Amino acid sequence: MNATSWVRRDLLGIADLSAAEIELILDTAESFREVSERPIKKVPTLRGRTVLNLFFEASTRTRSSFEIAEKRLSADSVNFSASTSGLKKGESLIDTALNLQAMSPDLIVIRHAHPGVPHMLAERVEAGVINAGDGAHEHPTQALLDAFTIRQHKGGFEGLKVSIIGDIEHSRVVRSNILLLTKMGAEVTVAGPRTMMPVDVESLGVRAVYSLEEALRGTDVVMMLRVQLERQAKMNFPSVREYFELFGLTRARLKAAKRDVILMHPGPMNRGVEIASDVAEGKYSVILEQVANGVAVRMAVLYLLSGVHQEVG
Amino acid sequence: MRLLIRGGHLIDPGQELDERLDVLIVDGRVERVGKDLKPGRHGEVLDADGLIVAPGLIDIHVHLREPGQEYKESIETGTRSAAAGGFTAVACMPNTTPPNDNRSVTEHIVKEAARHGYARVYPIGAISVGQKGEQLAEIGDMVGGGVVAISDDGFPVMSPELMRRALLYAQHFDIPVIQHAEDLGLGADGVMHEGEWSTRLGLPGLPGAAEDLMVARDLRLLEETGGRYHVAHLSTARSLEMVREAKSRGLAVTCEVTPHHLLLTDREVFESGFSTHTKMKPPLRSEADREALLGGLEDGTVDAIASDHAPHHVDEKDVEFSSAPFGIVGLETTLGLCLDRLVRPGRISPYRLVELLSTGPARALGVPGGRLAPGDPADVTLFDTKRQQTVNPTRFQSKGRNTPFAGWKLRGRPVATLVDGRRVELR
């Protein structure tokens, strides 16, 4: 597959993508990576295009990453933030969408606390829609940047052992990563407390284990997940101290993994909760590379979805 | 006034009739049932050749939204919807604004229903004042006003003490206690069935166990108290099994299931792309649950099919999945769906369907109907098992358009609806 055969206008989830489309996004990101290393980090690719960043949920990393990607492609980007609480009623969401559509944006990047909102938006607006995270459902660009990072280090996915550890139930990153990695032929293991494991998780084509040691044994890639401290009040775990005892990643525990293991985290990290500081900053960590790669991957997604590659002249 | 329904195939489980028979109606009551009847002087004839003639269908679980939420539905539009769907009677739930927890509201419903006259309306009174689950409502007074059962539908009776008292007190009036069986202490923030699809979609789950716990508790209480207990919109395999077992021990328990739980599963939330028309309580369950419910139709455990007709305004449903209200309409789709998806493939016989939609519901609530014997009110539904229809919500008589069945092509539909011998359907 090459860019000319890309016809998709929205990126709502990894669920919709074929392996060939995923490869194309990663290959395209490869060519954009170099832009961020130039002294003048800008190409005219999306000049005259308008991108709306619509964040109904707080985000620093993802929003900045999209914004930088847009600016490096010379798109005009507009940010729109609203706390979900202020716009709880769906009428407002539909009306917001229609109002935004009236301003003729080319692409809308949306994050929302509720699953399915990007899908709903995509049905109503002409603009292409990029899901920047919808509740615990999907976060496709995160999975793509994770895949990009894994491919850089491991060369490919076939037979690769990837272990994702933490709050599996409430994580959109996990769902998108499971979909992507299994499509690409990796073997995915998920691990965490049973109280934060969604029901029937194995129907997604993964192995579920309930001890950190078992998850780490012989693995090529370790992906740690943020544990939200408010989960404690919802009976998901008794205390931070005990969580770290059972599922916190330490240097000693990481020894069970393969010698060339890479350690990932989608951020933001809770040091001392799911991961010890020395491991997060240690030699296996590729956490900051993930962030850097995020910009290139989002540039690739914006470029492909904008349709500019298909325009003549 | 004489009317002869001639040439139809009469299915009347109330009299165990299932053959080609004419029905003669005089002054709103059944005069005779037999072969080759004559209309008599000045008698009209309704040609029922090729049609099924059945005692009027009864939907024992609908929300008419009046008083207070007439923007969703009214007694007038709700009963028109019933008539259009082949239903001659409905039982309406008390979760209106204000709720039907006192006689004046009950009387308003009865009066409005009589004024419009499209279908009989049997009000269901609240169990507790304000449906708050604290204090018994004036049940006796409401029964005097026309209430046929009590329920806090929409608000499960969480307190075992209140349920115990309700089961005891309702016996004074020989009415059933209807429970929306859901333990709110489990998966309270859920929006769809907890299972593979909630996991895939990242939506909080409503576990089947929440229903099972409540049914188990209530059946245990019923053993102590006696009385009649009815499980509304039963949706899980385990709850059905418990009802089956309780019936075998002779407990006075009945249950209803909805067409949507018989025909759709939780996968539909995914297939429809988060359509809020797949959001209801109880949620669409797993394939194993659905299959078990079908088994319950076949073996007689299920007493009634009820639609849980729950109209909502378009704007209320046109929101994010998580924020949308629960519920779909059903009065105008139930019969067609059952004929096309249950009878046509041979899962149940036409006779069993009439049992589930007429005789069974009448018995479960203890209301008249479900039979066309001489002297009975002439509430009759005529339907065609072959005529095609396509579900088109914009043509519903109901104000509600919220259905997951839009566009479904169904073989089988109601043709005429008679209440007291008078045609009430609008076509």
Side-chain angles (χ1 to χ4, degrees), chain A residues 68-272:
Chain A
I68 289 168
E70 289 151 15
K71 288 188 163 35
R72 289 189 182 162
L73 290 169
S74 306
D76 298 314
S77 48
V78 180
N79 292 325
F80 182 102
S81 313
S83 68
T84 314
S85 58
L87 268 169
K88 222 173 185 169
K89 293 279 178 213
E91 288 107 326
S92 312
L93 180 72
I94 297 288
D95 285 338
T96 306
L98 295 175
N99 278 285
L100 294 172
Q101 178 55 42
M103 300 180 222
S104 311
D106 297 284
L107 289 166
I108 298 176
V109 178
I110 180 167
R111 162 162 301 183
H112 199 283
H114 290 162
V117 169
H119 307 67
M120 192 174 161
L121 185 67
E123 274 177 28
R124 312 275 170 150
V125 299
E126 302 258 315
V129 174
I130 300 173
N131 180 359
D134 60 330
H137 179 221
E138 280 230 43
H139 191 356
T141 57
Q142 177 71 42
L144 286 161
L145 75 87
D146 289 342
F148 187 84
T149 310
I150 292 172
R151 199 173 76 164
Q152 269 184 333
H153 285 269
K154 301 293 175 189
F157 302 95
E158 199 59 48
L160 203 67
K161 289 183 165 45
V162 182
S163 297
I164 310 177
I165 296 154
D167 180 358
I168 306 298
E169 183 174 5
H170 303 96
S171 172
R172 52 187 166 223
V173 175
V174 168
R175 284 171 179 79
S176 288
N177 262 302
I178 288 174
L179 289 164
L180 189 151
L181 292 166
T182 53
K183 273 179 207 214
M184 305 308 281
E187 292 168 23
V188 180
T189 297
V190 293
R194 287 179 187 272
T195 46
M196 296 199 277
M197 194 65 81
V199 296
D200 292 342
V201 70
E202 286 176 331
S203 66
L204 275 58
V206 301
R207 183 174 73 113
V209 300
Y210 301 95
S211 89
L212 185 61
E213 286 64 35
E214 208 178 334
L216 292 174
R217 199 176 306 135
T219 198
D220 296 291
V221 178
V222 174
M223 211 177 272
M224 298 305 291
L225 297 173
R226 173 181 170 76
V227 171
Q228 291 173 306
L229 300 179
E230 57 268 29
R231 292 277 152 223
Q232 204 174 316
K234 298 200 168 171
M235 301 180 251
N236 288 111
F237 62 94
S239 68
V240 165
R241 196 172 72 93
E242 187 157 316
Y243 185 87
F244 189 76
E245 276 300 305
L246 291 173
F247 288 97
L249 189 66
T250 60
R251 196 189 298 201
R253 284 169 167 169
L254 192 56
K255 289 206 171 91
K258 283 203 183 142
R259 291 186 58 181
D260 61 347
V261 68
I262 58 169
L263 169 64
M264 308 176 75
H265 195 303
M269 269 189 293
N270 279 320
R271 291 168 187 251

Side-chain angles (χ1 to χ4, degrees), chain A residues 88-91 93-94 112 114-117 119-120 124 136-137 175 198-201 203-204, chain B residues 189 194-196 198-204 270 272-274 315-316 318-323:
Chain A
K88 222 173 185 169
K89 293 279 178 213
E91 288 107 326
L93 180 72
I94 297 288
H112 199 283
H114 290 162
V117 169
H119 307 67
M120 192 174 161
R124 312 275 170 150
H137 179 221
R175 284 171 179 79
V199 296
D200 292 342
V201 70
S203 66
L204 275 58
Chain B
D189 56 355
E194 183 178 278
E196 174 185 348
S198 66
T199 290
R200 283 183 183 273
L201 295 173
L203 288 168
F270 164 77
S272 69
F274 294 93
D315 292 343
E316 293 173 302
D318 199 8
V319 300
E320 316 88 283
F321 192 89
S322 314
S323 312

Side-chain angles (χ1 to χ4, degrees), chain B residues 332-346:
Chain B
E332 288 164 79
T333 50
T334 293
L335 180 60
L337 289 167
C338 291
L339 287 170
D340 188 71
R341 302 298 161 111
L342 301 177
V343 174
R344 198 158 69 90

